[in-house]
Amino acid sequence: FNAFAADKAAKTQERAAKAAGDLVWKQYETTRGDLQPYRETGGNALSNYAALHGLNGQEAYTKALGDYTQSPFLSQLINNTRDSVESSRAARGGLFSGGTAQEIGDRTGQLYLGDFNNYLGRLSGMAQSGQQAAAQTGQFGANAAAGKADAINQVGQYKAQQAVIPSLAWQQFTNDATKALGAFAGGGR
């Protein structure tokens, strides 16, 4: 009876260890999926950052610079600057003068320079977020692997216990039988 109970307990422990290992891995996969957009965005930002510094060749530099100059955000800044200059010049009666074009050009050039540096900073920040997400994913992966390995070890221990239980039961039976025979043989004298 003790052997049956021990076998049942070992099987229950084995199922629990397997479930724990599955839960650890499922949580890792969920976390990895949650961090995926940050890793991808960070990777794209890093690629653009490198391209804008000329590290990915001329073609990549030209494309990245074109993407920047065609961005809706920069277009809106330029349009607002042009509208501001034109409104100011129109109010003073000089809208169609050469000075208007010069002032728009000066302000737009300053805008490009300031915004371009801000843009590089934003790319750098996004790249850092991606790097942090990648590091977190790696840490969660290491933790999940350790948890899964622990669960596998526990399953192995419980299977080993199950393998030993029949021999322990036989040993217990033979010990009890020997005692009973000894008592019977010794009690008959």
Side-chain angles (χ1 to χ4, degrees):
F1 181 72
N2 288 341
F4 174 74
D7 183 55
K8 187 174 178 181
K11 286 179 181 176
T12 301
Q13 290 171 324
E14 178 184 345
R15 284 191 303 273
K18 283 182 180 178
D22 291 345
L23 180 63
V24 164
W25 197 252
K26 182 179 179 184
Q27 182 58 48
Y28 165 69
E29 288 176 341
T30 298
T31 302
R32 181 175 171 81
D34 291 345
L35 292 173
Q36 178 70 23
Y38 299 97
R39 289 192 315 271
E40 284 181 11
T41 299
N44 292 336
L46 181 61
S47 179
N48 283 336
Y49 187 84
L52 287 169
H53 283 85
L55 301 176
N56 296 341
Q58 184 62 39
E59 186 177 328
Y61 171 78
T62 302
K63 181 187 178 324
L65 189 58
D67 290 346
Y68 164 71
T69 58
Q70 300 302 313
S71 73
F73 179 75
L74 183 62
S75 295
Q76 186 63 42
L77 283 176
I78 291 170
N79 289 338
N80 289 346
T81 299
R82 185 192 65 237
D83 292 347
S84 173
V85 170
E86 288 176 352
S87 295
S88 173
R89 288 286 181 149
R92 292 180 285 162
L95 178 60
F96 297 110
S97 70
T100 302
Q102 179 65 41
E103 188 175 348
I104 290 173
D106 290 346
R107 286 198 186 178
T108 302
Q110 292 169 0
L111 230 160
Y112 271 117
L113 182 59
D115 186 63
F116 186 72
N117 288 331
N118 289 337
Y119 181 69
L120 289 175
R122 291 189 303 269
L123 286 175
S124 176
M126 286 189 284
Q128 288 173 1
S129 292
Q131 179 186 23
Q132 290 170 352
Q136 286 177 332
T137 300
Q139 185 61 49
F140 288 131
N143 292 345
K148 189 76 170 169
D150 184 48
I152 290 169
N153 284 335
Q154 288 179 13
V155 167
Q157 289 173 359
Y158 302 139
K159 285 187 178 274
Q161 287 175 1
Q162 285 175 312
V164 171
I165 287 171
S167 67
L168 293 177
W170 179 252
Q171 184 180 16
Q172 183 179 353
F173 170 75
T174 57
N175 286 343
D176 289 348
T178 302
K179 286 180 189 175
L181 285 173
F184 178 71
R189 286 188 179 169

